[in-house]
Amino acid sequence: MGPGPPTAGAGAPPRPLSLTARLSYAVGHFLNDLCASMWFTYLLVYLHSVRAYSSRGAGILLLLGQVADGLCTPLVGYEADRAAGRCARCGPRKAWHLVGTICVLLSFPFIFSPCLGCGASTPEWAALLYYGPFIVIFQFGWAATQIAHLSLIPELVTNDHEKVELTALRYAFTVVANITVYGAAWLLLHLQASADTGPTPDVSDQLGVQDVPVFRVGFLYMSTRLIVNLSQTYMAMYLTYSLNLPKKFIATIPLVMYLSGFFSSFLMNPINKWIGRNMTYFVGLLVILAFAAWVALADGLGVAVYAAAVLLGMGCATILVTSLAMTADLIGPHTHSGAFVYGAMSFSDKVANGLAVMVIQSLYPCSSELCCRACVGFYHWVMVAVTGGVGVAAALSLCSLLIWPIRLRS
């Protein structure tokens, strides 16, 4: 996919991308989105509740992945920019995209599979060492694909509104990927629960071993990713342990979140035109803070958890699309360094997410059981902190952008 057809004259504005080209770009991150949905939503649940590894061990593996991703993104960005002109046939962006996709395909299936050669007597540290290399390879591939894909935006389009539209289309396919994951999870868990028989069928309705089969806009982007990723990571734990809901909810609630995000993404372009980037982001933050306040004040949500999920999904979609558009603004016409900018931004995002998860896992109150009475309130306040607390930090960062707007320096 090239940067569009040539212009009729030297001073004529570039033609907008065709619908086919825009859709081709938007679907280019689909595999990454599928894997990210599994990684952030189900990795801790799988390792902690299903594989019965310790809370700290599960956190170490997620931290390893985030650190590896954070270190790879600026390096990949630098190399992708430096390779401009060397890949005459397909271009450096596509070449890195292909390398990343291959790495993801070859490594990710092993992360959510039982440790080969491990048994009941295998020490936990040995199992963690087994998963480590696969996680590092996966995160390198994920970073290469993400940076190559994002850095295409300022090369394909130059108009601000087209950047928002392309980012919104990209996010729409992110939502489709998440719907695919959560829809499949709901179907499999629903069928598995229906097949269980016995005097206490409600036991199978809970997770267990039977379920084995550099910039200020930089800080804003990091805060955005912390809200989106951490809320996604701990939503399953919050639903399972704090609200004590059946396991099917760890599929249906994220599905509702992403459906609401999907529909709200279509409003991003007209809203950005109407009230601007900063105010659009602020509206998204207000919706997220409303979710955090609801969770903090309500002892039990019941069926209202679906309405809360709609709020969180709409808010996350709004701030994510807008923050990516702000990053494209930062790059402006300097597309030759676009990959490095996205890599540097993503570095802070990945490391911050990994450290945040490690801190939260280290504070886990139950030492001898998978979940005791103390963890009920623990995950409740984790959800409040990762949405409300980080949302306030993002609001402060946004205020700095209102005072000192993003400008390109010569």
Side-chain angles (χ1 to χ4, degrees), residues 19 22-23 26 161 164-176 179 258-273 280 313-314 317-318 321-322:
L19 178 61
R22 282 177 284 169
L23 292 178
H161 300 310
V164 174
E165 182 183 25
L166 212 56
T167 305
L169 280 173
R170 180 182 185 272
Y171 183 78
F173 277 92
T174 298
V175 173
V176 173
I179 290 173
Y258 276 92
L259 279 174
S260 63
F262 173 76
F263 289 113
S264 63
S265 67
F266 291 105
L267 302 175
M268 291 302 101
N269 197 29
I271 292 178
N272 268 264
K273 290 181 179 179
T280 302
M314 292 174 61
T318 301
V321 170
T322 308

Side-chain angles (χ1 to χ4, degrees), residues 41-394:
T41 305
Y42 296 126
L43 182 69
L44 284 183
V45 176
Y46 175 75
L47 295 175
H48 186 52
S49 300
V50 178
R51 302 304 304 168
Y53 296 141
S54 68
S55 176
R56 182 163 300 190
I60 287 174
L61 285 182
L62 196 144
L63 174 62
L64 171 65
Q66 295 304 104
V67 170
D69 193 0
L71 292 174
C72 288
T73 43
L75 295 177
V76 169
Y78 174 75
E79 289 297 324
D81 288 333
R82 201 162 66 100
R86 298 182 185 179
C87 307
R89 184 175 181 84
C90 61
R93 312 300 190 212
K94 289 183 181 178
W96 277 101
H97 191 280
L98 177 62
V99 170
T101 300
I102 292 173
C103 289
V104 169
L105 285 172
L106 293 180
S107 60
F108 191 73
F110 291 94
I111 299 175
F112 281 89
S113 300
C115 172
L116 297 177
C118 296
S121 60
T122 303
E124 182 177 297
W125 63 265
L128 299 184
L129 286 178
Y130 167 86
Y131 287 111
F134 293 113
I135 288 176
V136 171
I137 295 172
F138 160 65
Q139 292 291 1
F140 166 78
W142 201 96
T145 304
Q146 181 203 32
I147 297 305
H149 193 251
L150 282 172
S151 59
L152 279 171
I153 294 179
E155 293 195 2
L156 292 172
V157 294
T158 55
N159 183 278
D160 287 346
H161 300 310
E162 288 181 331
K163 291 177 184 177
V164 174
E165 182 183 25
L166 212 56
T167 305
L169 280 173
R170 180 182 185 272
Y171 183 78
F173 277 92
T174 298
V175 173
V176 173
N178 281 275
I179 290 173
T180 302
V181 169
Y182 299 137
W186 174 82
L187 181 61
L188 292 173
L189 292 173
H190 178 73
L191 292 177
Q192 188 272 337
S194 300
D196 287 327
T197 56
T200 56
D202 60 309
V203 174
S204 67
D205 217 22
Q206 302 296 327
L207 286 170
V209 72
Q210 75 274 9
D211 298 304
V212 168
V214 164
F215 304 98
R216 283 184 292 118
V217 71
F219 182 79
L220 195 68
Y221 181 77
M222 181 187 73
S223 302
T224 300
R225 285 295 187 176
L226 278 173
I227 295 172
V228 174
N229 293 342
L230 291 180
S231 63
Q232 187 176 355
T233 299
Y234 285 100
M235 178 59 76
M237 313 295 273
Y238 170 66
L239 295 172
T240 302
Y241 298 126
S242 295
L243 298 184
N244 197 32
L245 295 172
K247 64 187 179 185
K248 66 180 181 180
F249 278 81
I250 69 173
T252 56
I253 294 301
L255 184 62
V256 169
M257 288 171 54
Y258 276 92
L259 279 174
S260 63
F262 173 76
F263 289 113
S264 63
S265 67
F266 291 105
L267 302 175
M268 291 302 101
N269 197 29
I271 292 178
N272 268 264
K273 290 181 179 179
W274 182 35
I275 61 176
R277 296 264 202 276
N278 292 335
M279 289 306 299
T280 302
Y281 191 94
F282 183 69
V283 169
L285 280 181
L286 287 180
V287 175
I288 290 174
L289 291 175
F291 166 85
W294 195 351
V295 171
L297 297 175
D299 293 330
L301 291 177
V303 293
V305 70
Y306 285 104
V310 170
L311 286 179
L312 184 59
M314 292 174 61
C316 287
T318 301
I319 64 173
L320 184 57
V321 170
T322 308
S323 67
L324 287 173
M326 288 176 172
T327 307
D329 291 341
L330 180 66
I331 296 170
H334 306 290
T335 59
H336 57 279
S337 60
F340 179 75
V341 171
Y342 280 111
M345 304 282 278
S346 193
F347 172 79
S348 62
D349 144 39
K350 301 304 189 277
V351 174
N353 274 283
L355 290 175
V357 169
M358 195 63 236
V359 170
I360 293 172
Q361 292 301 106
S362 299
L363 295 175
Y364 183 71
C366 307
S367 56
S368 59
E369 305 175 51
L370 286 179
C371 185
C372 62
R373 184 182 297 272
C375 85
V376 174
F378 176 73
Y379 288 118
H380 172 89
W381 290 110
V382 165
M383 283 302 298
V384 174
V386 300
T387 54
V390 182
V392 170

